[in-house]
C-alpha cells in the first residue's frame, strides 16, 4: 500500500500529466516563447521555441496529446455491452479534459400496458417517441440511448461541476419531460419514469465504463422498487442492499416452507363505536439470524420465484387458523383481510380450493375479506379477475379495493367488480387534518362511496387529529399506527383487552406504541 504522501504525489503527477497532455496546454506555448524573448533575448527565444517541443516529444507527451476519439454515430438502441463501451468513451473524454461526467437511467412504467392496446408497431412508435422526448430536453453534448423495452440511458457531457445537486436537478427535469402525456396514434399515453443516477467522481479515480453503468442501473433498480416516479442516487449502501436481496432471494423459498414467513395482524376499528371490525393479515419474515425483514425486501424475491400463490395459501391458512383460535378464546374479531396477487386471481381453481380451506376450518366465507389491488384489476386485459371475484362473493367473502385512488381505473373497478369496501390509500390520509386540499379529496371519495352504497376504510392513520377528522367526514373504518402496529397472532388477545379498556376510558391523545 502506498504511503498517504506518496499517493498524494502520484495524484498530483497524474493531474500535471493530464494537463500537459491536453490540447489546451499547447495554446500557452507561444506565450512561453514570448516571455523567454523578453527575459533573455533572441537566444533564449530560440532555445524555448525549439527545446520545449523537443522535450515534450522526447517524453512522449505529443503521443498523449490526441483529440478525443471520434464518437460513433448516435444509435437509438444499444445492448448493455455497447452501453458500457459508451460509458468508457465518455469517461475517457472527461479525463482528457480534466472534467467529470455521469449517467442517468430511466425506467418507464406504462409502456408494457400501452403495448397491449397499441400492438407491436404502436409500441415501437411509443418507445421512439420517448427517446425523442428525452433527446429534445438534453444539452448539446449529452446523449440518450434506449437500453431495453422500457429503459433509457443518458450520458452527460463532461463538465467542471457535476455534483449530486446538479445531477438530481437534471434527473428531475428529464423525468418531468418524460411524464408529460405522449400522443401515439391520436391517443394520449401517461407514463411514469423512475430514475437512477451516478457520477464518475463518486466511483473514484479507477472508475470504468462497466462500473459507471452498473452503479447507474443499481440506483435505477432501487428507484423502481421504491415507487413509479422515485429518483435514487448511487451509493455504497445500495450495493450492500443489493447483496442482501440476492442472499434473501436464495433463502426465501425455504423460509416460506419452514414457517418463517407468516401473517402479522393489524386491527381495524369502527370510527363510530371504536369496536374492532376486522384485521388485515400482512406478510412478515422473522429470520433466525437477521430478525424481522421488511416485505419490501422479500416480496419481489417471491414474485420472481413464482411463489406468490404459495404465499397466498399460507396467508389464508394462517389467517383462518388465527380466527379459530380467537373464536375459542371468546374474542370478537369479525373477519381477517388477505391481499391476493394477480396470479391467484387469474387461477380458475382458486375459488374451489378456498372453499375447501374454509370447510376445513369450519368457517363461513364472510369471515374472510379478500383485498384486490387496483393495479391487479388494471393489468387484467380479460375477465379472469372479475370471474374469480364473483366466485368469492358467492362463497360469502367480502371484497376490498385496496390502495383506492392511486391509479387511473378506480371508478371503473367500482363499476365492474362487486366491491364491498374501498381502502383509501395512506397518501391521501397523512396530514389530512392540516391540509384543506386533502380533506376535500377524501370528502369526495367518501361521498362517491356513500352514493354507491360502499363502505370505506382509511389506511395509515397515525395521529389523533387524522382519526377525529375522518370520523367527522363519515369514514366507516380506520387502520394504522394510531390504532395499532401489525403484531403476531399470539399478541392480538392482549391488544384486544387493552383496547376494550381504552374504549371504556377513551384518551384521544394517546398514540400506539
Amino acid at each position: 500500500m502506498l504511503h498517504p504522501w506518496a499517493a498524494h504525489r502520484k495524484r498530483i503527477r497524474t493531474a500535471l500529466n493530464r494537463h500537459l497532455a491536453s490540447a489546451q496546454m499547447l495554446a500557452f506555448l507561444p506565450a512561453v516563447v514570448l516571455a523567454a524573448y523578453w527575459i533573455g533575448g533572441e537566444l533564449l527565444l530560440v532555445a524555448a521555441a525549439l527545446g520545449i517541443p523537443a522535450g515534450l516529444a522526447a517524453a512522449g507527451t505529443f503521443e498523449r496529446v490526441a483529440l478525443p476519439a471520434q464518437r460513433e454515430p448516435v444509435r437509438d438502441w444499444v445492448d448493455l455491452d455497447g452501453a458500457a463501451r459508451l460509458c468508457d468513451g465518455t469517461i475517457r473524454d472527461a479525463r482528457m479534459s480534466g472534467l467529470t461526467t455521469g449517467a442517468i437511467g430511466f425506467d418507464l412504467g406504462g409502456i408494457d400496458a400501452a403495448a397491449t392496446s397499441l400492438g407491436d408497431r404502436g409500441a415501437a412508435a411509443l418507445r421512439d417517441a420517448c427517446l425523442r422526448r428525452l433527446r429534445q430536453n438534453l444539452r448539446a453534448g449529452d446523449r440518450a440511448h434506449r437500453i431495453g423495452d422500457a429503459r433509457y440511458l443518458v450520458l452527460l457531457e463532461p463538465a467542471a461541476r457535476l455534483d449530486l445537486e446538479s445531477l438530481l436537478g437534471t434527473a428531475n427535469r428529464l423525468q418531468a419531460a418524460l411524464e408529460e402525456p405522449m400522443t401515439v396514434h391520436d391517443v394520449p399515453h401517461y407514463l411514469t419514469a423512475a430514475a437512477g443516477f451516478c457520477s464518475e467522481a463518486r466511483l473514484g479515480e479507477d472508475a470504468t465504463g462497466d462500473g459507471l453503468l452498473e452503479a447507474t442501473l443499481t440506483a435505477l433498480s432501487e428507484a423502481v422498487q421504491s415507487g413509479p416516479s422515485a429518483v435514487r442516487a448511487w451509493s455504497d449502501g445500495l450495493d450492500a442492499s443489493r447483496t442482501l436481496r440476492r442472499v434473501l432471494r436464495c433463502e426465501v423459498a425455504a423460509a416460506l416452507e419452514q414457517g418463517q414467513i407468516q401473517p402479522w395482524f393489524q386491527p381495524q376499528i369502527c370510527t363510530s363505536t371504536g369496536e374492532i371490525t376486522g384485521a388485515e393479515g400482512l406478510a412478515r419474515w422473522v429470520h433466525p439470524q437477521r430478525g424481522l425483514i421488511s416485505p419490501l425486501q422479500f416480496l419481489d424475491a417471491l414474485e420472481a420465484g413464482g411463489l406468490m400463490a404459495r404465499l397466498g395459501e399460507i396467508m389464508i391458512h394462517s389467517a383462518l387458523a388465527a380466527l379459530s383460535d380467537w373464536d375459542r378464546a371468546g374474542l370478537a374479531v369479525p373477519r381477517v383481510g388477505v391481499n391476493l396477487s394477480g396470479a391467484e386471481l387469474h387461477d380458475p381453481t382458486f375459488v374451489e380450493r378456498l372453499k375447501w380451506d374454509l370447510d376445513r376450518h369450519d368457517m363461513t366465507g364472510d369471515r374472510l375479506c379478500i383485498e384486490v389491488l387496483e393495479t391487479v384489476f388494471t393489468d387484467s386485459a380479460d375477465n379472469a379477475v372479475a370471474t374469480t371475484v364473483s366466485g368469492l362473493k358467492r362463497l360469502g367473502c367480502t371484497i376490498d379495493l385496496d390502495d383506492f385512488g392511486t391509479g387511473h381505473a378506480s371508478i371503473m373497478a367500482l363499476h365492474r367488480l362487486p366491491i364491498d369496501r374501498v381502502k383509501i390509500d395512506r397518501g391521501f390520509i397523512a396530514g389530512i387534518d392540516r391540509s384543506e386540499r386533502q380533506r376535500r379529496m377524501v370528502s369526495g371519495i367518501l361521498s362517491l362511496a356513500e352514493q354507491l352504497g360502499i363502505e370505506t376504510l382509511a389506511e395509515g392513520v397515525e395521529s389523533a387529529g387524522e382519526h377525529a377528522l375522518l370520523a367527522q367526514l363519515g369514514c366507516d373504518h380506520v387502520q394504522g399506527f394510531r390504532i395499532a402496529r401489525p403484531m403476531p397472532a399470539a399478541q392480538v388477545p392482549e391488544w384486544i383487552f387493552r383496547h376494550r379498556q381504552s374504549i371504556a376510558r377513551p384518551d384521544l391523545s394517546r398514540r400506539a406504541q
Side-chain angles (χ1 to χ4, degrees), residues 164 168 195-198 202 215 218-220 222-223 231-235 238:
L164 181 63
L168 178 60
F197 61 86
C198 181
R202 299 202 75 177
T218 297
L220 180 57
E222 190 72 17
V231 179
R232 293 290 182 270
W234 179 85
S235 67
L238 288 186

Side-chain angles (χ1 to χ4, degrees), residues 289-302:
Q289 283 81 42
R290 296 185 172 90
L292 188 63
I293 297 175
S294 166
L296 294 175
Q297 294 180 299
F298 69 83
L299 287 181
D300 284 345
L302 286 173

Side-chain angles (χ1 to χ4, degrees), residues 161-184:
R161 180 179 178 271
L162 199 62
D163 56 15
L164 181 63
E165 182 180 356
S166 61
L167 269 170
L168 178 60
T170 301
N172 285 333
R173 178 174 58 81
L174 296 176
Q175 179 191 56
L178 288 169
E179 292 187 341
E180 286 291 321
M182 296 191 191
T183 301
V184 175

Side-chain angles (χ1 to χ4, degrees), residues 81-99:
D81 288 339
R85 289 193 295 271
L86 291 172
C87 289
D88 248 335
T90 303
I91 291 175
R92 186 168 58 250
D93 290 351
R95 287 178 176 168
M96 290 180 66
S97 304
L99 304 173

Side-chain angles (χ1 to χ4, degrees), residues 46 107 137 192 199 224 300 311 415:
V46 172
D107 189 293
N137 287 274
T192 59
S199 70
V224 170
D300 284 345
L311 174 65
H415 172 68

